[in-house]
Short mmCIF file of all heavy atoms in Angstrom, two decimals:
data_model
loop_
_atom_site.label_atom_id
_atom_site.label_comp_id
_atom_site.label_asym_id
_atom_site.label_seq_id
_atom_site.Cartn_x
_atom_site.Cartn_y
_atom_site.Cartn_z
N ASP A 1 143.53 63.42 208.38
CA ASP A 1 144.56 63.16 209.40
C ASP A 1 144.38 64.32 210.43
O ASP A 1 144.46 65.49 210.15
CB ASP A 1 145.92 63.23 208.76
CG ASP A 1 147.06 62.98 209.75
OD1 ASP A 1 147.24 63.78 210.62
OD2 ASP A 1 147.65 61.97 209.63
N TRP A 2 144.01 63.93 211.58
CA TRP A 2 143.89 64.94 212.70
C TRP A 2 145.04 65.78 212.99
O TRP A 2 145.05 66.95 212.87
CB TRP A 2 143.38 64.30 213.98
CG TRP A 2 143.22 65.24 215.09
CD1 TRP A 2 143.96 65.25 216.26
CD2 TRP A 2 142.36 66.45 215.24
NE1 TRP A 2 143.65 66.34 217.11
CE2 TRP A 2 142.67 67.08 216.48
CE3 TRP A 2 141.38 66.92 214.40
CZ2 TRP A 2 141.93 68.18 216.88
CZ3 TRP A 2 140.71 68.12 214.75
CH2 TRP A 2 141.00 68.68 216.07
N THR A 3 146.14 65.12 213.32
CA THR A 3 147.36 65.80 213.77
C THR A 3 147.97 66.69 212.67
O THR A 3 148.46 67.82 213.00
CB THR A 3 148.37 64.81 214.34
OG1 THR A 3 147.72 64.03 215.33
CG2 THR A 3 149.60 65.51 214.91
N ASP A 4 148.08 66.17 211.44
CA ASP A 4 148.88 66.87 210.44
C ASP A 4 147.98 67.64 209.43
O ASP A 4 148.54 68.36 208.56
CB ASP A 4 149.71 65.86 209.64
CG ASP A 4 150.83 65.23 210.39
OD1 ASP A 4 151.34 65.96 211.33
OD2 ASP A 4 151.11 64.07 210.31
N ALA A 5 146.70 67.51 209.46
CA ALA A 5 145.87 68.28 208.54
C ALA A 5 144.69 69.07 209.16
O ALA A 5 144.60 70.32 208.98
CB ALA A 5 145.24 67.25 207.52
N ILE A 6 143.97 68.43 210.00
CA ILE A 6 142.71 69.07 210.45
C ILE A 6 143.03 70.00 211.64
O ILE A 6 142.65 71.10 211.72
CB ILE A 6 141.60 68.13 210.76
CG1 ILE A 6 141.19 67.34 209.57
CG2 ILE A 6 140.40 68.81 211.38
CD1 ILE A 6 140.74 68.14 208.37
N TYR A 7 143.74 69.48 212.59
CA TYR A 7 144.13 70.29 213.75
C TYR A 7 144.79 71.59 213.45
O TYR A 7 144.42 72.68 213.96
CB TYR A 7 145.06 69.45 214.76
CG TYR A 7 145.44 70.26 216.00
CD1 TYR A 7 144.56 70.36 217.03
CD2 TYR A 7 146.67 70.90 216.05
CE1 TYR A 7 144.88 71.12 218.25
CE2 TYR A 7 147.02 71.62 217.08
CZ TYR A 7 146.20 71.84 218.22
OH TYR A 7 146.52 72.51 219.28
N PRO A 8 145.73 71.64 212.47
CA PRO A 8 146.44 72.86 212.19
C PRO A 8 145.51 73.91 211.50
O PRO A 8 145.78 75.14 211.55
CB PRO A 8 147.51 72.56 211.16
CG PRO A 8 147.78 71.01 211.29
CD PRO A 8 146.38 70.53 211.80
N ILE A 9 144.36 73.51 210.95
CA ILE A 9 143.44 74.46 210.25
C ILE A 9 142.33 74.85 211.11
O ILE A 9 141.55 75.77 210.70
CB ILE A 9 143.06 73.94 208.85
CG1 ILE A 9 142.16 72.69 208.95
CG2 ILE A 9 144.24 73.75 207.93
CD1 ILE A 9 141.51 72.22 207.60
N MET A 10 142.17 74.25 212.23
CA MET A 10 141.04 74.50 213.07
C MET A 10 141.47 75.38 214.28
O MET A 10 142.58 75.20 214.73
CB MET A 10 140.40 73.25 213.66
CG MET A 10 139.75 72.28 212.62
SD MET A 10 138.28 72.98 211.88
CE MET A 10 137.18 72.76 213.31
N ASP A 11 140.63 76.25 214.78
CA ASP A 11 140.93 77.09 215.87
C ASP A 11 139.99 76.70 217.06
O ASP A 11 139.07 77.43 217.36
CB ASP A 11 140.76 78.50 215.51
CG ASP A 11 141.26 79.50 216.60
OD1 ASP A 11 142.02 79.05 217.42
OD2 ASP A 11 140.86 80.69 216.46
N ILE A 12 140.19 75.56 217.62
CA ILE A 12 139.43 75.08 218.68
C ILE A 12 140.36 74.54 219.82
O ILE A 12 141.44 74.11 219.52
CB ILE A 12 138.37 73.96 218.32
CG1 ILE A 12 139.09 72.71 217.71
CG2 ILE A 12 137.37 74.56 217.32
CD1 ILE A 12 138.08 71.58 217.37
N HIS A 13 139.95 74.50 221.06
CA HIS A 13 140.68 73.97 222.11
C HIS A 13 140.47 72.49 222.15
O HIS A 13 139.52 71.91 222.69
CB HIS A 13 140.16 74.54 223.43
CG HIS A 13 140.97 74.11 224.63
ND1 HIS A 13 140.33 73.42 225.68
CD2 HIS A 13 142.24 74.32 224.96
CE1 HIS A 13 141.21 73.13 226.57
NE2 HIS A 13 142.42 73.61 226.17
N ALA A 14 141.44 71.78 221.52
CA ALA A 14 141.37 70.33 221.31
C ALA A 14 142.74 69.76 221.61
O ALA A 14 143.74 70.35 221.35
CB ALA A 14 140.82 69.97 219.93
N ALA A 15 142.66 68.40 221.91
CA ALA A 15 143.92 67.71 221.91
C ALA A 15 144.61 67.63 220.57
O ALA A 15 143.99 67.42 219.60
CB ALA A 15 143.68 66.23 222.48
N LYS A 16 145.89 67.90 220.59
CA LYS A 16 146.68 67.93 219.31
C LYS A 16 146.90 66.59 218.74
O LYS A 16 146.94 66.42 217.53
CB LYS A 16 148.03 68.64 219.50
CG LYS A 16 148.79 68.78 218.15
CD LYS A 16 150.02 69.58 218.35
CE LYS A 16 150.74 69.79 217.04
NZ LYS A 16 151.81 70.65 217.17
N THR A 17 146.94 65.51 219.56
CA THR A 17 147.22 64.20 219.12
C THR A 17 145.86 63.41 219.06
O THR A 17 144.88 63.91 219.71
CB THR A 17 148.15 63.50 220.01
OG1 THR A 17 147.61 63.44 221.37
CG2 THR A 17 149.55 64.18 220.00
N ASN A 18 145.82 62.33 218.42
CA ASN A 18 144.60 61.46 218.31
C ASN A 18 144.23 60.98 219.76
O ASN A 18 145.13 60.64 220.52
CB ASN A 18 144.94 60.19 217.41
CG ASN A 18 144.92 60.55 216.03
OD1 ASN A 18 144.04 61.24 215.54
ND2 ASN A 18 145.81 59.98 215.20
N SER A 19 142.96 61.04 220.01
CA SER A 19 142.46 60.68 221.30
C SER A 19 141.85 59.23 221.04
O SER A 19 141.53 58.80 219.99
CB SER A 19 141.28 61.55 221.68
OG SER A 19 141.72 62.88 221.85
N SER A 20 141.74 58.48 222.16
CA SER A 20 141.17 57.20 222.14
C SER A 20 139.63 57.32 221.94
O SER A 20 138.94 58.10 222.61
CB SER A 20 141.43 56.42 223.43
OG SER A 20 140.58 55.29 223.55
N ALA A 21 139.12 56.58 220.97
CA ALA A 21 137.76 56.62 220.68
C ALA A 21 136.86 56.11 221.84
O ALA A 21 135.63 56.53 221.90
CB ALA A 21 137.38 55.77 219.45
N THR A 22 137.41 55.34 222.75
CA THR A 22 136.67 54.80 223.87
C THR A 22 136.91 55.56 225.16
O THR A 22 136.19 55.31 226.14
CB THR A 22 136.90 53.33 224.06
OG1 THR A 22 138.40 53.25 224.29
CG2 THR A 22 136.58 52.48 222.93
N ALA A 23 137.77 56.47 225.17
CA ALA A 23 138.03 57.28 226.41
C ALA A 23 137.20 58.59 226.45
O ALA A 23 136.97 59.13 225.46
CB ALA A 23 139.61 57.65 226.41
N LEU A 24 136.79 58.86 227.63
CA LEU A 24 135.99 60.05 227.87
C LEU A 24 136.92 61.32 227.56
O LEU A 24 138.08 61.31 227.97
CB LEU A 24 135.51 60.10 229.27
CG LEU A 24 134.40 61.07 229.65
CD1 LEU A 24 133.12 60.82 228.88
CD2 LEU A 24 134.13 61.16 231.12
N CYS A 25 136.41 62.24 226.83
CA CYS A 25 137.08 63.44 226.53
C CYS A 25 137.04 64.36 227.76
O CYS A 25 135.97 64.76 228.16
CB CYS A 25 136.53 64.23 225.34
SG CYS A 25 137.35 65.73 224.87
N THR A 26 138.20 64.62 228.41
CA THR A 26 138.11 65.36 229.63
C THR A 26 139.10 66.59 229.74
O THR A 26 138.78 67.59 230.33
CB THR A 26 138.49 64.45 230.83
OG1 THR A 26 139.83 63.84 230.64
CG2 THR A 26 137.50 63.34 231.08
N ASP A 27 140.17 66.50 229.09
CA ASP A 27 141.20 67.62 229.32
C ASP A 27 141.08 68.75 228.38
O ASP A 27 141.70 69.78 228.54
CB ASP A 27 142.65 66.98 229.23
CG ASP A 27 142.92 66.07 230.35
OD1 ASP A 27 142.27 66.17 231.42
OD2 ASP A 27 143.74 65.14 230.13
N PHE A 28 140.26 68.66 227.39
CA PHE A 28 140.04 69.69 226.33
C PHE A 28 138.59 69.80 226.09
O PHE A 28 137.75 69.03 226.46
CB PHE A 28 140.73 69.25 225.09
CG PHE A 28 142.20 69.11 225.23
CD1 PHE A 28 142.85 67.88 225.53
CD2 PHE A 28 143.06 70.12 225.03
CE1 PHE A 28 144.23 67.78 225.62
CE2 PHE A 28 144.46 70.07 225.12
CZ PHE A 28 144.98 68.80 225.50
N ASP A 29 138.25 70.93 225.37
CA ASP A 29 136.87 71.13 224.91
C ASP A 29 136.42 70.12 223.95
O ASP A 29 135.31 69.73 223.87
CB ASP A 29 136.62 72.52 224.37
CG ASP A 29 136.78 73.63 225.36
OD1 ASP A 29 136.66 73.34 226.59
OD2 ASP A 29 137.11 74.86 224.97
N PHE A 30 137.40 69.65 223.14
CA PHE A 30 137.18 68.69 222.07
C PHE A 30 138.25 67.63 222.08
O PHE A 30 139.38 67.98 222.34
CB PHE A 30 136.98 69.32 220.68
CG PHE A 30 135.93 70.26 220.62
CD1 PHE A 30 136.15 71.63 220.80
CD2 PHE A 30 134.69 69.85 220.27
CE1 PHE A 30 135.18 72.52 220.62
CE2 PHE A 30 133.63 70.78 220.14
CZ PHE A 30 133.84 72.17 220.40
N CYS A 31 137.90 66.50 221.59
CA CYS A 31 138.94 65.36 221.40
C CYS A 31 138.62 64.93 219.94
O CYS A 31 137.49 65.12 219.36
CB CYS A 31 138.74 64.22 222.38
SG CYS A 31 139.23 64.56 224.05
N ALA A 32 139.60 64.28 219.33
CA ALA A 32 139.47 63.97 217.98
C ALA A 32 140.30 62.68 217.62
O ALA A 32 141.24 62.41 218.27
CB ALA A 32 139.79 65.04 217.02
N GLN A 33 139.90 62.07 216.55
CA GLN A 33 140.67 60.89 216.04
C GLN A 33 140.64 60.97 214.47
O GLN A 33 139.62 61.18 213.84
CB GLN A 33 140.09 59.60 216.42
CG GLN A 33 140.99 58.42 216.16
CD GLN A 33 140.39 57.13 216.72
OE1 GLN A 33 139.47 56.54 216.21
NE2 GLN A 33 140.99 56.65 217.74
#
């Protein structure tokens, strides 16, 4: 689970919520689902 498990244990500049798999990642260094 990105929002409740992986995001809290990672130290990267990423979107906190799930990103769309088909949308270009633009606002963060990383996007995730």
Side-chain angles (χ1 to χ4, degrees):
D1 183 292
W2 172 247
T3 304
D4 294 327
I6 303 300
Y7 179 83
I9 64 174
M10 296 291 288
D11 188 18
I12 60 175
H13 182 242
K16 184 175 182 176
T17 58
N18 283 317
S19 302
S20 167
T22 57
L24 192 65
C25 183
T26 57
D27 295 333
F28 298 92
D29 294 336
F30 298 95
C31 291
Q33 188 175 77

